[in-house]
Amino acid sequence: MKKLLMSVLPLAVLASCSQAPVEEQSSVVLADSCATTATKALFQKLKASSAQGYLVGHQDALAYGHDWYRDGESDFKQVCGDYPAVFGWELADLELGNELNIDSIAFSDMRRYMVQIADMGGVNSVSWHINNIITGGNCWDVTSKAVVTSILAEGEIHDKYESWLGIFADFVKSLKDSQGNDVPILFRPYHELSGSWFWWGRDLCTPSEYKQLWRYTFDYLVNAKGVHNLIYVYSMASFTTEEEFLERYPGDDVVDVLGFDSYQWGSASAEAKIDYIQKTQSQVAVARKVAADRNKMWALTEMGFESVPDSVWFTTVVDPILANQDAAYVLFWRNAFNKPEHFYVPYKGHAAAQDLQNFVAMPHVFTLNDFMD
Ligand code: BMA
């Protein structure tokens, strides 16, 4: 286990929004100025750890893995001997009142896992592939270009969308650790906005509408619903320039972490590998600069190479991209239990398992034991 050097939190950080004078709160500035003590403390801790290395995350670890569906296990842990430090969760279908999310996890189980993770000292990240409120299709239904416009306008759609946000608010407010504290969450709404495959994507709304959608969501959750355990994560898909990265950025006052999702696709040839590394390194340079200019953190909010066809992918692609770049974390996507090719972390016996072990053994790569108190 690596020892992270954590500075002791200044007392002011531990005071709540209403108790602490403004100047005493200045060491941790979150978009939500009334963020809970635990939320501020997590942010502060991530900031400190990002100067020393980056956390490793895995989507849906604890719920299922490649070829199995059992409670509390993890492919990542079976290979590495430790849990990831960040656990990603997906809320799609919560808004419909369903018992299960889009990937067959019961929300009651997800709640239990998230609390368990907080109790263990890990980090929860949440994405939300929100259904299409106009067509009744899923988030990938881009047949109507009017979804964002309709949500923002007064009317039936707006009111219904507000009820969906209310369901989300109730869910995240219900997350309390064993001490009764709110479980802090990295919340990553309206992600991959530079692509056009979700109803909030680039060709489906204008930059101004996207910003309004984000700002309205933030305002509704914070001010109308009193949700104060969220760290807001702005998460692009592909981009090349800083201008592109910022074209739809909703503002420093409503974002805490900036980042992007990045996948290697197709060939695992040496040439394809070099191309992917170079392209991603130039994106990292942009995200890192934009975050540093704003005194924010940055992260690789999703990453992977489906089926991990390169047996040394973690040590020869992921780490060269992320080492010494002040990233807060990287989140590898899920190992589906019912789609044999759809996995992003090697399972026990997979050709890349040894490489994942070598990767997490690096002194600047942090799993749960490295991050917990
Ligand atoms: C996608 C795929 C889907 C999944 C969705 C939401 O990238 O993994 O199978 O339903 O994410 O988790």
Side-chain angles (χ1 to χ4, degrees), residues 50 59 66 72 79 97 137 239 259 265 268 287 320 354 359 362:
S50 67
Q59 181 77 1
H66 176 72
V79 169
F239 63 96
W265 296 101
Q354 181 62 52
F359 170 67
M362 293 182 177

Side-chain angles (χ1 to χ4, degrees), residues 107-168:
F107 288 109
S108 54
D109 288 337
M110 194 187 293
R111 181 184 284 117
R112 182 165 50 80
Y113 296 140
M114 290 173 88
V115 167
Q116 182 188 341
I117 289 156
D119 280 339
M120 292 192 301
V123 183
N124 287 292
S125 163
V126 158
S127 53
W128 192 7
H129 289 72
I130 311 173
N131 284 276
N132 184 319
I133 199 156
I134 290 192
T135 65
N138 61 26
C139 64
W140 293 276
D141 179 350
V142 289
T143 50
S144 165
K145 291 200 174 190
V147 184
V148 178
T149 317
S150 308
I151 289 170
L152 293 173
E154 277 181 28
E156 219 178 289
I157 297 290
H158 174 84
D159 294 348
K160 185 172 168 194
Y161 195 73
E162 211 146 87
S163 76
W164 283 9
L165 292 179
I167 292 171
F168 168 82

Side-chain angles (χ1 to χ4, degrees), residues 8 13 55 112 125 202 206 270 294 300 303 368:
V8 177
V13 173
L55 271 53
R112 182 165 50 80
S125 163
R202 196 191 55 209
T206 66
R294 292 163 172 73
L300 248 170
M303 193 183 197
L368 182 65

Side-chain angles (χ1 to χ4, degrees), residues 59-60 90 92 101-103 127 129 140 263 302 333-334 336 339 342 344:
Q59 181 77 1
D60 289 344
E90 169 53 46
N101 84 343
I102 189 173
D103 302 319
S127 53
H129 289 72
W140 293 276
Y263 288 88
E302 279 182 36
W333 201 241
R334 68 197 197 99
K339 295 186 194 171
H342 196 54
Y344 293 87

Side-chain angles (χ1 to χ4, degrees), residues 19-84:
Q19 293 161 350
V22 174
E23 63 277 12
E24 285 184 13
Q25 295 180 34
S26 60
S27 56
V28 175
V29 180
L30 280 176
D32 176 4
S33 56
C34 287
T36 65
T37 300
T39 309
K40 287 181 184 173
L42 173 63
F43 187 76
Q44 174 90 336
K45 197 171 170 189
L46 283 170
K47 240 183 162 178
S49 70
S50 67
Q52 298 171 58
Y54 55 93
L55 271 53
V56 182
H58 190 207
Q59 181 77 1
D60 289 344
L62 279 188
Y64 60 78
H66 176 72
D67 219 10
W68 58 266
Y69 199 119
R70 280 186 302 282
D71 209 64
E73 275 186 35
S74 151
D75 281 333
F76 186 97
K77 184 165 188 226
Q78 284 185 12
V79 169
C80 301
D82 188 18
Y83 286 117

Side-chain angles (χ1 to χ4, degrees), residues 1 18 41 92 110 127 129 133 137 165 171 179 202 239 264 276 297 305-306 310 312 314 328:
M1 171 172 148
S18 52
M110 194 187 293
S127 53
H129 289 72
I133 199 156
L165 292 179
F171 181 80
Q179 316 282 316
R202 196 191 55 209
F239 63 96
Q264 188 173 344
Y276 177 72
M297 273 187 291
F305 192 175
E306 191 177 42
D310 176 344
V312 287
F314 295 90

Side-chain angles (χ1 to χ4, degrees), residues 220-262:
Y220 187 72
L221 293 174
V222 170
N223 297 319
K225 302 304 286 182
V227 177
H228 298 302
N229 52 332
L230 302 180
I231 294 171
Y232 288 81
V233 184
Y234 171 77
S235 170
M236 288 279 281
S238 196
F239 63 96
T240 42
T241 63
E242 183 172 337
E243 290 68 39
E244 228 182 303
F245 191 91
L246 289 173
E247 190 195 30
R248 286 162 191 252
Y249 176 65
D252 292 344
D253 56 335
V254 288
V255 171
D256 301 304
V257 181
L258 299 91
F260 62 99
D261 294 0
S262 172

